[in-house]
């Protein structure tokens, strides 16, 4: 199931439509029969598929405090949040590349039909335009929800985000702001995305006061956090772990609800090591916590940071004060990654509590590589090994 | 006060300068300025109809009635073609008169590309490769333009131009190696399928972020111009990518910096699901050329000869006159955007079928060849068989080949290996050594 989910991004919805690209039918005899290959080829294919999933999604308990729930995967929970927003806020508009037909990850499916094409619409293919437009919508007082098709393609909008959105309020003496702007973008590794469909660019934006950056671990958190971002009076970037769009399924409340920003979530309490992560990596960490318990008898406290900026220093430091050890893990390159910021702060705040050097298990300082992804990612074995080393320090 | 004083000083200076240059009987522009100045002072009769705007950066007439320029002032840019849909030459003087051998080569490259596409598309469906993008329906734009270039011309592509690389002689083995990210991939397995590149064939490696190649092509063309070796640069992009800020930068830079560059826009009707009427409201991409001061043309991209002629002439003049040209090739993306896409969600089967069955660049060229008795049913059959066989052989070979050594994860980040990366590399190998059973080392080159 994981393998299938992870492969979603490239496979998409399988088409019943067979578009052959055949000139006047002349080549129509070609097709699947072409690919009847030798046995050796087939066996290799199987081995190639063996290593697709690097984590097991661990669903949250069914929330009881927000009314009736429905089974939703992560992209559906995003749709649900957007649906609530369009229903409750007549100024809200949703736009980006290919959002009108539902978006390449299906997050906006059905919304245009339900709310009209003046509220859910395609933009020309231009990220700087999308964010600049969104800032303008927000400055004029309406709610702007901009989609960037992949987090990897947010960089043409870097200037609009960093120099404009983040500084609007400050530079105008609070005369103007674009707090009504929320930027959503699919984020993180997916098994085969390589350089430009895998990146986790949160650290670039974490260096930018005035922004809020949020990354959910699953459908329930995604909906509540996204609705908080939309309601928040500061420009927010909401990164969605795309490998979870289909793989992560939970019971999600149907009605609108919010989950507070800048509050980390302690998922498992523990006494020996604090594990901090966000997004997909949370599921790696939860598995690592189990492995540490089973194989080493080590008790881990797992914290989902959720909001990268401004982040919840208190929860993390309290935990480290208790455990004396901290492991932080993200897929983005280690140098200048957000783990460095956490590590530095914790070292300042908890120096005397530390039993071992703070450990970071992150991506290497290289671009995100296609065929080497199994070696590149901070998988459970690397994290497990880091815990072992911290315990034996 | 001080400011005012210095301003009047400046004015005085200017006035002085103007009078001086007028006395020297300098260029028309300066004379004119001097004339204005004297008129004002000598109170002579003044005829406003003789006045011309002097603003730097625009030359035109003054008008005394308010009128907005219509957006369709440039509209209905005609589509240049050489052949009709049945492969008949419309105007004999436009027939490029290519030899039988050349035309057969065109046809074979176009159909080989089509065969490779179908095999790789299918292989992705079977999970053998991770991703693929077909070129269905755009074969004419690739082969027609590639044939009109010199092999030394530098190509900056988007991603749907495999036929250009094929025409230049990139072997099937290397196409397959890239898509399989195996140890023979020139790009060392780092990029997604279809991100080809070839130093030998002057084809700059494809990058996923859209439109980034457009200003880069301008820079390359500028460097090539200074080399003075009769080289040009061609830059391919989709009509969707043309909306990016980088496209504007590239157009404007190449025009102002006088770069021998051919912008080749493949207008295939869609950017993933977004149709052209949501991408732009002007008359396509060609209409933008005049705005940048660039020579522009719209061609029928499904007419390989029209593409060839337009590119050939643009290339000739780009190099001779050091200026960019914009070619908008009208075509249709018959396939899904990529293997991640299902285009039935946003366009009709009938629409697709029209282009597939009624207006396909491959069938058009075949009609042309058949009319000259250059290509028989038998030729077709045996070529199909042969080309399919060569593609399948390359495919099976690529599938059997090992993946590149994981060592290559760390090289080429910088030209040299840094101490930091070296440390990370060593720690990775130590880790893999210790946790062997969890890593697919058997698939990778030792
Ligand atoms: C900067 C950037 N934004 C978005 C994307 C995602 N994307 C990939 S292809 C594509 C559509 C491109 O359409 P077009 O330029 O018309 O080329 P075509 O696919 O039609 O050949 C989009 C939006 C990207 N690769 N890069
Ligand atoms: Mg297009």
């Amino acid at each position: 199931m994981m393998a299938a989910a992870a492969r979603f991004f490239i496979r998409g919805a399988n088409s019943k439509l067979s578009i052959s690209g055949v000139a006047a039918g002349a080549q129509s005899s070609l097709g699947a029969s072409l690919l009847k290959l030798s046995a050796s080829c087939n066996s290799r294919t199987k081995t190639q598929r063996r290593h697709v999933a690097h984590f097991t999604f661990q669903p949250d308990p069914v929330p009881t405090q927000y009314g009736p729930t429905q089974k939703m995967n992560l992209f559906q929970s995003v749709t649900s949040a957007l649906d609530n927003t369009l229903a409750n806020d007549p100024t809200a508009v949703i736009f980006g590349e290919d959002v009108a037909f539902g978006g390449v990850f299906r997050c906006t499916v059905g919304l245009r039909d339900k709310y009209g094409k003046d509220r859910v619409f395609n933009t020309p293919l231009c990220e700087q335009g999308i964010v600049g437009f969104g800032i303008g919508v927000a400055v004029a007082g309406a709610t702007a929800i901009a989609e960037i098709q992949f987090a990897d393609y947010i960089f043409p909008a870097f200037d609009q985000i960093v120099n404009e959105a983040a500084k609007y309020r400050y530079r105008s003496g609070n005369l103007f702001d674009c707090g009504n702007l929320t930027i959503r973008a699919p984020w993180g590794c997916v098994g085969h995305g390589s350089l430009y469909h895998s990146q986790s660019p949160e650290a670039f934006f974490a260096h930018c006061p005035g922004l809020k950056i949020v990354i959910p671990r699953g459908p329930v958190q995604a909906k509540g956090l996204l609705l908080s971002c939309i309601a928040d009076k500061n420009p927010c970037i909401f990164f969605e772990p795309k490998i979870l769009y289909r793989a992560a399924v939970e019971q999600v409340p149907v009605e609108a609800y919010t989950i507070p920003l800048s509050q980390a979530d302690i998922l498992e309490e523990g006494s020996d090591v604090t594990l901090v992560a966000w997004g997909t990596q949370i599921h790696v960490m939860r598995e690592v916590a189990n492995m540490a318990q089973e194989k080493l008898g080590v008790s881990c406290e797992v914290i989902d940071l959720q909001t990268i900026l401004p982040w919840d220093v208190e929860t993390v430091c309290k935990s480290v004060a208790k455990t004396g050890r901290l492991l932080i893990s993200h897929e983005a390159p280690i140098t200048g990654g957000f783990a460095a910021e956490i590590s530095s702060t914790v070292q300042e705040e908890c120096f005397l509590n530390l039993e071992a050097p703070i450990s970071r298990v992150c991506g290497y300082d290289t671009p995100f590589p296609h065929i080497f992804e199994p070696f590149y990612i901070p998988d459970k074995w690397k994290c497990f090994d880091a815990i072992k080393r911290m315990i034996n320090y | 006060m001080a400011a005012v004083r210095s301003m009047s000083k400046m004015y005085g200076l200017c006035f002085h300068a103007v009078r001086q240059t007028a006395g020297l009987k300098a260029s028309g522009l300066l004379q004119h300025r001097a004339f204005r100045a004297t008129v004002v002072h000598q109170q002579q009769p003044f005829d406003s109809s003789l006045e011309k705007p002097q603003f730097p950066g625009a030359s035109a007439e003054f008008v005394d009635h308010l009128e907005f320029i219509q957006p369709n002032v440039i509209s209905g840019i005609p589509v240049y073609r050489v052949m009709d849909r049945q492969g008949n030459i419309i105007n004999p003087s436009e027939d490029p008169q290519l030899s039988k051998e050349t035309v057969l080569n065109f046809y074979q490259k176009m159909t080989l590309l089509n065969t490779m596409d179908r095999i790789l598309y299918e292989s992705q469906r079977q999970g053998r490769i991770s991703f693929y993008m077909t070129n269905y329906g755009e074969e004419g734009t690739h082969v027609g333009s590639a044939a009109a270039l010199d092999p030394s011309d530098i190509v900056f592509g988007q991603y749907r131009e495999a036929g250009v690389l094929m025409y230049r002689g990139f072997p099937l083995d290397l196409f397959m190696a890239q898509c399989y990210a195996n140890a023979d991939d020139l790009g060392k397995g780092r990029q997604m399928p279809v991100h080809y590149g070839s130093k030998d064939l002057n084809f700059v490696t494809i990058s996923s972020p859209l439109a980034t190649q457009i200003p880069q092509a301008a820079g390359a063309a500028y460097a090539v111009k200074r080399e003075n070796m009769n080289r040009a640069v061609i830059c391919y992009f989709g009509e969707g990518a043309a909306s990016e800020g980088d496209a504007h930068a590239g157009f404007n830079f190449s025009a102002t910096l006088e770069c021998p560059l051919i912008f080749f826009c493949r207008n295939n009707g869609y950017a993933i699901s977004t149709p052209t009427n949501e991408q732009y409201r002007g008359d396509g991409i060609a209409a933008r050329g005049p705005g940048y001061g660039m020579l522009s043309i719209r061609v029928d991209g499904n007419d390989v000869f029209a593409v060839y002629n337009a590119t050939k002439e643009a290339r000739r003049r780009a190099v001779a006159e050091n200026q960019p040209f914009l070619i908008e090739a009208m075509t249709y993306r018959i396939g899904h955007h990529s293997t991640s896409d299902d285009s039935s969600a946003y366009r009709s089967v009938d629409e697709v079928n029209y282009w597939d069955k009624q207006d396909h660049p491959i069938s058009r060229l075949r009609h042309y060849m058949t009319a000259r008795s250059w290509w028989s049913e038998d030729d077709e059959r045996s070529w199909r068989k042969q080309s399919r066989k060569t593609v399948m052989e390359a495919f099976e070979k690529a599938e059997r080949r090992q993946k590149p050594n994981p060592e290559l994860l760390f090289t080429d980040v910088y030209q040299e290996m840094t101490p930091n990366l070296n440390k990370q590399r060593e720690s990775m190998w130590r880790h893999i050594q210790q946790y062997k059973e969890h890593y697919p080392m058997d698939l990778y080159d030792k």
Side-chain angles (χ1 to χ4, degrees):
Chain A
M1 175 226 163
M2 272 316 306
R7 219 176 285 114
F8 154 67
F9 149 63
I10 44 124
R11 297 188 71 95
N14 269 10
S15 175
K16 296 280 167 292
L17 200 156
S18 155
I19 293 174
S20 59
V22 165
Q27 302 152 59
S28 55
S29 62
L30 291 163
S33 63
L34 277 171
L35 290 174
K36 278 182 195 136
L37 290 168
S38 60
S40 72
C41 281
N42 280 319
S43 66
R44 173 157 312 278
T45 305
K46 271 179 218 121
T47 50
Q48 277 170 353
R49 286 174 180 167
R50 201 173 58 198
H51 292 275
V52 170
H54 71 288
F55 68 99
T56 309
F57 175 73
Q58 311 220 13
D60 274 7
V62 181
T64 49
Q65 66 272 46
Y66 309 117
T69 62
Q70 228 174 43
K71 196 167 149 182
M72 294 184 204
N73 62 27
L74 195 141
F75 82 71
Q76 289 163 333
S77 86
V78 168
T79 315
S80 171
L82 299 175
D83 192 345
N84 294 147
T85 304
L86 289 166
N88 300 333
D89 175 357
T91 74
V93 289
I94 297 177
F95 50 89
E97 291 156 17
D98 302 295
V99 304
F101 92 119
V104 297
F105 286 106
R106 315 316 290 143
C107 293
T108 51
V109 167
L111 298 178
R112 186 188 31 186
D113 290 344
K114 194 163 170 189
Y115 295 100
K117 55 183 198 281
D118 60 324
R119 301 193 63 196
V120 181
F121 49 90
N122 288 341
T123 64
L125 207 173
C126 183
E127 291 75 18
Q128 66 191 96
I130 292 169
V131 173
F133 183 92
I135 293 172
V137 167
V139 167
T143 299
I145 302 166
E147 176 177 305
I148 299 294
Q149 204 164 79
F150 285 87
D152 310 67
Y153 302 137
I154 204 167
F155 299 111
F158 203 64
D159 189 41
Q160 285 288 350
I161 296 171
V162 170
N163 276 335
E164 295 301 313
K167 299 172 173 59
Y168 232 92
R169 188 189 303 278
Y170 190 83
R171 74 179 181 207
S172 69
N174 204 15
L175 295 180
F176 297 96
D177 72 83
C178 62
N180 289 342
L181 170 65
T182 303
I183 301 165
R184 300 177 34 244
W187 164 100
C189 84
V190 74
H192 42 246
S194 82
L195 282 81
Y196 303 113
H197 297 84
S198 307
Q199 292 176 78
S200 307
E202 62 272 20
F204 286 107
F205 299 99
H207 200 53
C208 188
L211 298 176
K212 294 194 178 180
I213 306 163
V214 178
I215 306 172
R217 67 171 177 272
V220 172
Q221 300 302 108
K223 180 169 174 178
L225 289 168
L226 178 55
L227 285 169
S228 288
C229 284
I230 293 168
D232 194 84
K233 290 297 160 209
N234 299 282
C236 296
I237 303 178
F238 190 75
F239 286 127
E240 300 164 4
K242 59 182 163 301
I243 200 169
L244 298 179
Y245 273 137
R246 278 166 199 253
V249 180
E250 289 173 340
Q251 286 295 128
V252 180
V254 179
E255 290 305 315
Y257 60 96
T258 55
I259 294 173
L261 303 184
S262 294
Q263 275 185 32
D265 204 356
I266 301 175
L267 297 178
E268 278 159 46
E269 299 205 2
S271 52
D272 302 326
V273 186
T274 301
L275 310 181
V276 172
W278 48 90
T280 318
Q281 198 63 9
I282 276 297
H283 305 289
V284 175
M285 288 302 216
R286 295 187 91 163
E287 203 173 336
V288 168
N290 288 338
M291 287 159 63
Q293 187 61 259
E294 279 166 25
K295 296 183 202 264
L296 310 172
V298 167
S299 155
C300 295
E301 182 144 306
V302 181
I303 299 182
D304 180 357
L305 197 62
Q306 297 195 122
T307 300
I308 310 306
L309 193 72
W311 66 286
D312 184 352
V313 178
E314 195 187 326
T315 300
V316 174
C317 286
K318 258 194 189 149
S319 172
V320 179
K322 175 175 73 176
T323 62
R325 294 178 192 88
L326 173 62
L327 169 71
I328 316 152
S329 180
H330 56 62
E331 291 168 13
I334 187 164
T335 298
F338 199 68
E341 179 60 34
I342 298 173
S343 167
S344 166
T345 302
V346 170
Q347 184 267 143
E348 277 171 24
E349 299 285 325
C350 311
F351 186 68
L352 293 177
N353 302 98
L354 289 174
E355 308 271 355
I358 297 168
S359 182
R360 291 178 290 159
V361 179
C362 302
Y364 299 120
D365 289 328
T366 74
F368 203 107
H370 180 224
I371 207 65
F372 307 123
E373 180 167 332
F375 305 99
Y376 177 85
I377 52 170
D379 63 10
K380 59 187 172 200
W381 302 106
K382 292 180 188 171
C383 294
F384 175 74
D385 195 59
I387 291 177
K388 243 166 73 177
R389 276 182 279 120
M390 271 194 287
I391 295 296
N392 297 330
Y393 182 76
Chain B
M1 262 312 278
V4 172
R5 220 178 307 130
S6 71
M7 274 241 300
S8 65
K9 233 202 236 154
M10 234 170 65
Y11 269 96
L13 247 165
C14 287
F15 200 58
H16 187 69
V18 166
R19 256 200 296 209
Q20 257 198 347
T21 43
L24 289 170
K25 292 206 171 66
S27 72
L29 178 78
L30 288 169
Q31 275 181 352
H32 195 78
R33 272 206 198 127
F35 171 73
R36 267 200 316 184
T38 37
V39 164
V40 171
H41 279 264
Q42 293 170 7
Q43 303 284 312
Q44 279 176 3
F46 179 79
D47 181 358
S48 63
S49 72
L50 293 177
E51 274 196 310
K52 291 239 194 286
Q54 296 302 314
F55 310 111
S59 53
E61 305 292 314
F62 281 119
V63 291
D64 57 10
H65 53 280
L66 190 150
E67 190 186 343
F68 293 100
I69 300 165
Q70 296 298 317
N72 61 3
V73 76
I74 310 171
S75 81
I77 293 177
V79 184
Y80 168 71
R81 64 174 183 167
V82 173
M83 281 187 281
D84 65 17
R85 278 201 283 142
Q86 293 308 308
N88 305 307
I89 299 287
I90 300 159
N91 174 356
S93 69
E94 295 292 320
D95 185 341
Q97 311 271 6
L98 298 172
S99 68
K100 175 181 170 187
E101 192 195 357
T102 306
V103 173
L104 292 194
N105 183 38
F106 279 18
Y107 184 76
Q108 291 182 339
K109 288 284 151 46
M110 287 161 75
T111 46
L112 184 64
L113 172 63
N114 188 277
T115 302
M116 181 180 84
D117 272 355
R118 273 172 307 102
I119 287 172
L120 286 174
Y121 182 83
E122 197 51 46
S123 81
Q124 192 283 333
R125 290 285 133 186
Q126 298 183 3
R128 294 165 184 276
I129 61 173
S130 61
F131 174 84
Y132 195 65
M133 296 176 107
T134 63
N135 302 277
Y136 302 149
E138 300 186 41
E139 297 88 347
T141 64
H142 300 184
V143 169
S145 59
L149 300 170
D150 191 272
S152 70
D153 294 343
I154 306 175
V155 179
F156 283 81
Q158 178 160 311
Y159 49 64
R160 210 186 297 283
E161 295 94 7
V164 174
L165 193 53
M166 190 174 267
Y167 191 88
R168 287 199 162 198
F170 201 60
L172 285 169
D173 282 345
L174 289 181
F175 279 108
M176 300 288 175
Q178 199 285 329
C179 289
Y180 268 95
N182 71 23
D184 296 328
D185 172 20
L186 300 178
K188 303 178 188 168
R190 292 173 185 148
Q191 290 217 76
M192 279 170 81
V194 316
H195 290 62
Y196 312 112
S198 169
K199 184 88 177 169
D200 292 345
L201 299 175
N202 293 304
F203 190 98
V204 179
T205 301
I206 300 300
S207 154
S208 313
L210 286 168
T212 48
Q213 81 278 17
I214 301 176
Q216 294 168 12
Y222 190 83
V224 153
K225 173 176 79 168
R226 297 197 61 251
E227 222 177 53
N228 207 13
M229 298 284 282
N230 185 27
R231 276 171 100 189
V233 173
I234 191 163
C235 177
Y236 293 91
F237 54 95
E239 88 294 338
S243 292
E244 290 279 7
D246 272 353
H248 161 70
F251 298 156
N252 201 25
F253 272 55
S254 62
T256 54
L257 296 167
E258 299 169 355
C259 303
L261 169 57
I262 302 142
F263 289 114
F264 193 102
C265 177
R266 298 176 291 98
N267 190 335
N268 61 10
Y270 291 89
I272 307 187
S273 75
T274 306
T276 52
N277 68 343
E278 294 178 23
Q279 198 63 248
Y280 54 75
R281 284 297 157 86
D283 186 16
I285 308 304
R288 298 181 197 171
Y292 289 101
M294 191 158 42
L295 282 133
S296 311
I297 192 170
R298 172 174 290 156
V299 304
D300 182 341
N302 297 340
D303 175 349
V304 68
F305 294 152
V307 173
Y308 174 81
N309 283 352
T311 313
K312 190 134 186 108
E313 179 63 2
R315 198 245 168 229
R316 185 186 69 74
R317 290 190 58 188
V319 173
E321 302 163 20
N322 280 324
Q323 59 171 327
F325 281 73
L326 173 58
I327 298 174
E328 181 183 27
M330 307 308 289
T331 180
Y332 189 83
R333 194 197 80 210
I334 292 175
H336 301 300
H337 170 71
S338 71
T339 46
S340 312
D341 177 44
D342 172 6
S343 67
S344 67
Y346 53 83
R347 62 181 187 178
S348 73
V349 183
D350 288 349
E351 181 186 305
V352 178
N353 276 339
Y354 168 79
W355 295 99
D356 193 17
K357 307 278 184 260
Q358 310 287 319
D359 193 356
H360 199 290
I362 291 179
S363 6
R364 202 185 298 193
L365 187 59
R366 183 153 173 214
H367 285 311
Y368 175 91
M369 299 192 308
T370 309
R372 274 155 196 74
S373 306
W374 288 355
W375 193 254
S376 66
E377 277 297 333
D378 278 350
D379 292 331
E380 179 72 17
R381 252 192 307 277
S382 67
W383 165 244
R384 290 285 169 216
K385 210 170 141 198
Q386 183 199 332
S387 57
R388 203 180 312 168
K389 189 163 159 276
T390 43
V391 173
M392 283 309 295
E393 278 167 7
F395 173 83
E396 295 200 24
K397 192 170 144 201
E399 186 155 288
R400 277 194 301 268
R401 187 80 171 90
Q402 294 281 99
K403 301 305 178 201
N405 189 316
E407 186 82 8
L408 297 174
L409 202 169
F410 296 97
T411 57
D412 304 327
V413 178
Y414 296 98
Q415 199 264 324
E416 67 284 359
M417 180 57 76
T418 64
N420 174 49
L421 280 169
N422 215 15
K423 219 173 125 191
Q424 293 182 10
R425 186 178 61 99
E426 282 164 10
S427 115
M428 180 189 87
W429 283 122
R430 256 197 321 276
H431 178 77
I432 292 176
Q433 200 54 36
Q434 205 181 336
Y435 293 85
K436 279 191 205 70
E437 64 278 25
H438 304 298
Y439 293 89
M441 284 308 297
D442 51 325
L443 301 178
Y444 291 76
D445 249 8
K446 301 284 173 309

